[in-house]
Amino acid sequence: MHFIFRLNAKLLGLLLVLPVAAFAQTAQKIPDTLEQRLKACTACHGAEGRAGSDGYYPRIAGKPAGYLYNQLLNFRDGKRTYPAMAYLVGHMSDAYLKEIAGYFADQHPPYSAPLATEASSSMLEQGRLLVLQGDKARNLPACASCHGKSMTGLAPYIPGLLGLPRDYLIAQLGAWQTGSRKAHAPDCMQQVASKLNPQDVAAVSSWLAMQKIPADSITPVLKADEYAQLPLKCGGVAP
């Protein structure tokens, strides 16, 4: 009996050690690459940064590198307040954040098909007019006047607005209105968002979210002499 107990104890010890050893061998096979490190990002933002499946986490793949870098800085420095992002980048250097931004800017996975909308035709028309024409009576510039005629952004600092979920767009416009999202001064998006009423926000977000991505959706580069032509001066957007 004493012999059996000693044998079982040895077997138990092996069972306890083997999983640890197996885990150690597996861990050693994981490559230390930027792609592997950024699994922490794609857990929410989807594979290659193509967007989460819950309609809230945005697509970051293919966004201009300068824009992504500025947003990472804003999360780190408290201009944008989302705890998970602040925790993730809180101790990262400028150089490393720039490397992350460049990685996702170079990713170009296909876009998902736009989701069906429950917005009325009148609301969608209101959104279309605000996005493409703005509202001169309220001194409200068109979204397209900054984000590009095709709404796919202008590199290196202005993001595209197509391919983003409706709920995310609503949340971000609301964040600018409440001041929980900020950018470098002058904060042009805060100026725009402050002029939008709740119906405007719903209309713009609904219309943008249902637009198909152009087949040749290449983000044009905004030339140095074109910055002065933007309707508003924006901090963090400079040649």
Side-chain angles (χ1 to χ4, degrees), residues 31-39 96 99-100 102-104:
D32 184 16
T33 63
L34 186 61
E35 179 182 2
Q36 181 62 38
R37 295 178 191 176
L38 298 184
K39 297 291 185 183
Y96 194 40
E99 190 176 359
I100 293 171
Y103 173 86
F104 282 111

Side-chain angles (χ1 to χ4, degrees), residues 48-204:
E48 300 172 274
R50 66 180 65 198
S53 59
D54 61 357
Y56 183 75
Y57 296 100
R59 179 185 176 98
I60 54 177
K63 286 286 191 293
Y67 169 77
L68 292 174
Y69 175 60
N70 280 342
Q71 300 318 302
L72 290 169
L73 288 175
N74 289 345
F75 278 118
R76 189 193 66 185
D77 300 338
K79 288 185 172 66
R80 294 188 66 174
T81 54
Y82 187 66
M85 282 296 301
Y87 177 80
L88 191 65
V89 302
H91 300 288
M92 292 183 181
S93 67
D94 290 2
Y96 194 40
L97 294 181
K98 189 170 289 187
E99 190 176 359
I100 293 171
Y103 173 86
F104 282 111
D106 288 340
Q107 305 306 306
H108 299 283
Y111 283 81
S112 301
L115 297 176
T117 180
E118 297 180 358
S120 66
S121 57
S122 60
M123 175 175 283
L124 291 174
E125 177 62 9
Q126 178 186 357
R128 185 188 73 82
L129 291 174
L130 287 172
V131 169
L132 300 180
Q133 298 179 20
D135 187 341
K136 291 183 179 179
R138 290 187 282 171
N139 196 27
L140 188 62
C143 303
S145 63
C146 287
H147 292 274
K149 294 179 180 179
S150 62
M151 299 303 298
T152 55
L154 296 170
Y157 296 110
I158 301 176
L161 298 182
L162 300 188
L164 293 171
R166 174 182 177 272
D167 290 348
Y168 175 79
L169 290 166
I170 289 175
Q172 297 314 302
L173 288 170
W176 264 302
Q177 289 179 330
T178 60
S180 60
R181 177 171 180 175
K182 301 180 180 69
H184 297 286
D187 192 341
C188 55
M189 273 306 303
Q190 190 278 329
Q191 296 174 37
V192 171
S194 66
K195 297 176 181 179
L196 300 176
N197 60 47
Q199 186 169 332
D200 293 332
V201 171
V204 167

